[in-house]
Amino acid sequence: MKRRAGEREKELKKKRLLEELGENRLPYMTPADDDFHQLWKTKYSKLIFRKSETVPEELHQMVQKGFLTLREHDCFFQDLVRIKGKDFLTPVSRILIGNPGCTYKYLNTRLFTVPWPTEGYDIKYCSPQIHDACKALIRLNDYLHIEAVKTLQGQNLCETKEMKDTAVIDREQSFATSLTERGSVSKDQSGVCVPEDDSVSLKNRTSYNLTLLNYMDPLQMLYLKQEPYFGMGNMAVSWHHDENLVERSTVAVYSYSCEDSGVGESSEQELKGRDPAVWHVGLKVAWDIETPGLAIPLHQGDFYLMLDDLNMTHQHCVLAGLSPRFSSTHRVADCSRGTLEYIFGQCELALQNLQTDSDSVALSLKSLEAAVVKQVEEIHNEVEFEWLRQFWFQGKRYLKCTDWWLKPMAKLEEFWRKMEIMTSLVLSEVRKEQQIEEQRNETISCFLLVLKERQRLRKEWTVRCQSDAAESLPEDQKPECHPFWTDDDECNMPLPYDLEEVIAYLQNLTQWITSDLPA
């Protein structure tokens, strides 16, 4: 519900902003503009840019070879995301690589990491080349972590110096120098500085646990959205805040455009605005029509850092050039509810209410208290709709890289099947009349709410798996509606897939109990 309310609020803000603009367009600046450096320093100081020359050549070669390897093995996939109740294929193709057992959720889609080589984990890759590509990306991850720490420490020293020195330092520099400077913190932005002794906080906000890789060849796209506020041209990725991140954590983005692909920069000297042949990152202050935007060109091997709260106070987009481009976007994903360790812990918590009679194979529930039933059934829903259906909705795509996720998903399904049995046991118990009716009614009311949500979500996922967008995907990427069963299937499921009759029975039972209760 919170997410839907947030989406509605964003749509209203966007609508108001576009209405206010009318046919006009907001101003934006590129490095060719005289006030570009000053705007960057005062309004976008938490964006730090590094030219490709600052990165070790060996690392460039490893990472760029890794990108090409993953593309050759067809490991980039368009995601079927859900926006305002409709499914859309992303124009950009992606793959998530990171810590084993981690996931990353965006636009109602949970991606599962292809695990990079990690000590203590047995990861079998489909080929040595894919292993090497994942190894290159963890090398890049380590490098960007160190760079982010150094940058934040530098910002801290810079802030300390500025507090002691009231003199204004005029830094007139070339574009390249301006891009690579650390920048000062402006009055309109809250301090980026980390206390020097707060090394734990600094580490937590720069220890990237995954990277979302992106790939697009603009010339293969039938249609790209136009940037709506500034007239910046074709967008590969629309304006957004990155989701599902640890608060105030740094995002690092490494860019590799295939500039030797026969597409060059525009030769027009009088070109206004950004060069449409070159990829850019666009930035703007969120929901603001006073501050000009920025469009910064991205060349082969450049990277940038979005520090502190920049991702919250500002929005960014990716403006398409003409050449194919890869990027590796390193994030500190909020994994509080998005790791195997977490969801297995939830399963164990739910199954604590399941009791096996030591003298027989009969199963029973330890408690029928409404709060306990509600907690168990909500975990049941979480396993089914946030994990099992999310995973199988992406088809067999992960098998292009590794089969690592198959065992944990099979284990999750075993837990889920036990929870289906627990649901049937609750149903059996509330049918019995020897319970105190007030308590019985409270349990049924909680139980009904969760079952109605389960029924609604099962219908939604079934429809999503049969949508035109789903059918358009390659065979090995087509969504699978799993788990799914019919009454004719010999799968020994204790309850039907369609819960309409169960819900109707419980509603009638509630009415009957309520009519018998004293006024």
Side-chain angles (χ1 to χ4, degrees), residues 347-364:
C347 291
E348 288 166 9
L349 178 62
L351 294 174
Q352 285 176 7
N353 197 41
L354 184 63
Q355 182 168 281
T356 306
D357 190 328
S358 56
D359 297 327
S360 71
V361 293
L363 297 172
S364 61

Side-chain angles (χ1 to χ4, degrees), residues 195-462:
E196 289 181 67
D197 59 345
D198 197 2
S199 58
V200 174
S201 172
L202 190 148
K203 183 180 178 184
N204 288 344
R205 293 195 284 137
T206 57
S207 294
Y208 308 120
N209 46 17
L210 49 81
T211 177
L212 184 60
L213 271 60
N214 305 289
Y215 173 73
M216 179 194 272
D217 182 351
L219 298 183
Q220 298 300 313
M221 303 303 298
L222 296 175
Y223 168 77
L224 287 174
K225 278 186 180 180
Q226 293 296 298
E227 193 285 310
Y229 305 114
F230 302 91
M232 292 178 174
N234 290 338
M235 293 190 300
V237 182
S238 301
W239 291 106
H240 67 287
H241 305 277
D242 286 336
E243 298 181 65
N244 195 29
L245 303 180
V246 168
E247 190 175 355
R248 302 176 86 94
S249 61
T250 298
V251 177
V253 180
Y254 177 91
S255 181
Y256 172 51
S257 48
C258 305
E259 292 169 3
D260 58 350
S261 60
V263 178
E265 295 187 28
S266 172
S267 59
E268 294 181 39
Q269 297 299 310
E270 300 302 318
L271 189 72
K272 290 185 178 181
R274 67 117 180 168
D275 184 343
V278 177
W279 285 80
H280 289 66
V281 59
L283 283 102
K284 70 181 180 75
V285 179
W287 314 116
D288 175 293
I289 62 169
E290 303 297 328
T291 308
L294 281 189
I296 303 169
L298 299 170
H299 293 294
Q300 197 173 77
D302 294 343
F303 77 88
Y304 58 91
L305 305 171
M306 293 189 288
L307 302 180
D308 195 55
D309 64 349
L310 182 74
N311 184 54
M312 296 183 283
T313 59
H314 293 60
Q315 291 172 301
H316 58 282
C317 71
V318 181
L319 302 162
L322 295 179
S323 60
R325 174 183 176 262
F326 299 89
S327 68
S328 184
T329 63
H330 298 251
R331 304 152 191 254
V332 189
D334 178 3
C335 287
S336 56
R337 298 172 67 88
T339 63
L340 279 176
E341 182 181 11
Y342 160 77
I343 197 61
F344 282 152
Q346 289 291 93
C347 291
E348 288 166 9
L349 178 62
L351 294 174
Q352 285 176 7
N353 197 41
L354 184 63
Q355 182 168 281
T356 306
D357 190 328
S358 56
D359 297 327
S360 71
V361 293
L363 297 172
S364 61
L365 299 174
K366 293 178 183 177
S367 171
L368 271 176
E369 286 183 27
V372 175
V373 170
K374 181 173 182 287
Q375 181 186 50
V376 171
E377 294 303 324
E378 284 177 345
I379 292 172
H380 184 163
N381 280 4
E382 184 176 18
V383 172
E384 180 170 339
F385 302 110
E386 287 295 327
W387 290 82
L388 293 176
R389 295 196 183 279
Q390 287 275 6
F391 182 80
W392 291 109
F393 186 70
Q394 294 165 54
K396 297 181 174 66
R397 61 156 70 175
Y398 295 103
L399 293 178
K400 290 277 184 91
C401 300
T402 177
D403 63 359
W404 189 86
W405 277 97
L406 293 184
K407 283 185 179 179
M409 295 313 290
K411 186 177 178 182
L412 266 183
E413 190 165 334
E414 283 179 28
F415 288 145
W416 169 83
R417 284 177 179 273
K418 288 181 180 178
M419 288 182 229
E420 280 285 306
I421 292 170
M422 293 174 79
T423 301
S424 70
L425 291 172
V426 175
L427 188 60
S428 297
E429 290 298 322
V430 297
R431 282 173 170 155
K432 298 174 182 176
E433 295 185 16
Q434 53 265 48
Q435 296 179 58
I436 300 171
E437 291 199 338
E438 283 187 14
Q439 293 177 352
R440 185 184 179 200
N441 195 47
E442 185 184 359
T443 299
I444 293 171
S445 296
C446 291
F447 189 43
L448 251 177
L449 283 174
V450 187
L451 287 190
K452 284 180 180 179
E453 178 70 356
R454 188 173 305 162
Q455 174 71 354
R456 182 186 72 79
L457 288 171
R458 280 184 182 172
K459 283 184 175 180
E460 182 180 293
W461 280 97
T462 304

Side-chain angles (χ1 to χ4, degrees), residues 62-77 95-98 112-118 123-139 211 213 396-405 476:
M62 283 182 65
V63 172
Q64 292 169 13
K65 182 181 178 183
F67 286 150
L68 296 172
T69 294
L70 292 169
R71 185 177 66 177
E72 287 164 10
H73 285 77
D74 296 323
C75 293
F76 286 93
F77 311 99
I95 182 173
L96 187 71
I97 297 177
F112 297 75
T113 54
V114 171
W116 45 35
T118 306
I123 303 160
K124 294 182 176 67
Y125 297 96
C126 293
S127 74
Q129 292 82 9
I130 290 177
H131 167 274
D132 292 346
C134 292
K135 186 177 179 180
L137 287 158
I138 198 171
R139 282 276 302 274
T211 177
L213 271 60
K396 297 181 174 66
R397 61 156 70 175
Y398 295 103
L399 293 178
K400 290 277 184 91
C401 300
T402 177
D403 63 359
W404 189 86
W405 277 97
D476 59 352

Side-chain angles (χ1 to χ4, degrees), residues 484-500:
F484 179 82
W485 64 99
T486 66
D487 294 341
D488 297 329
D489 291 342
E490 296 179 6
C491 54
N492 298 319
M493 294 300 293
L495 289 171
Y497 180 80
D498 187 332
L499 296 171
E500 288 290 357

